[in-house]
Amino acid sequence: MPDPMMLELALPAFAALALLACATVVGAPAMRKLITVYEAKHELKHGSAGWLRSIRGWSMVAFWLMTTCFIATIIGDWAANGDLGAAIDRGWLRLRILLEIAMAIMESD
């Protein structure tokens, strides 16, 4: 039977690894867009139609980063305090702030 102390330490670590794997799978298109924008920034003149089209979609990168950071704060809170329920409750407060930021990003994109 596994030691309860080891299990208590292993659950947040496993959750962090799962977050990293999911963020990698979900973030691949966002990083592809980031690379496209970076390449377009250096190959096309500022103000050209191609350059303007290439910078649309930054919100996808921002949403990916915000989602990953949000889930990471819940995992970090859970690892620090050992109470998943309380970490999720505090996560709701963070989610409200992130949604306001997301709305501002969507308005500018």
Side-chain angles (χ1 to χ4, degrees), residues 5-108:
M5 178 74 126
M6 289 300 285
L7 190 60
E8 184 178 323
L9 293 174
L11 286 175
F14 179 71
L17 288 174
L19 170 67
L20 180 63
C22 290
T24 301
V25 169
V26 173
M31 288 300 103
R32 188 174 301 129
K33 179 64 179 177
L34 180 68
I35 291 167
T36 302
V37 169
Y38 183 77
E39 288 175 348
K41 187 176 181 181
H42 291 290
E43 292 176 3
L44 300 173
K45 292 184 182 226
H46 189 23
S48 69
W51 185 82
L52 292 174
R53 267 195 306 274
S54 70
I55 63 171
R56 289 189 67 215
W58 270 100
S59 59
M60 184 174 77
V61 174
F63 293 143
W64 170 70
L65 287 172
M66 287 177 10
T67 302
T68 303
C69 289
F70 171 69
I71 296 171
T73 60
I74 292 175
I75 293 172
D77 192 348
W78 176 29
N81 297 320
D83 186 8
L84 181 59
I88 291 173
D89 289 340
R90 287 185 291 273
W92 284 112
L93 297 173
R94 291 184 210 110
L95 182 61
R96 181 176 176 197
I97 295 168
L98 284 175
L99 287 176
E100 290 180 18
I101 294 170
M103 287 187 318
I105 291 171
M106 286 174 57
E107 288 176 3
S108 68

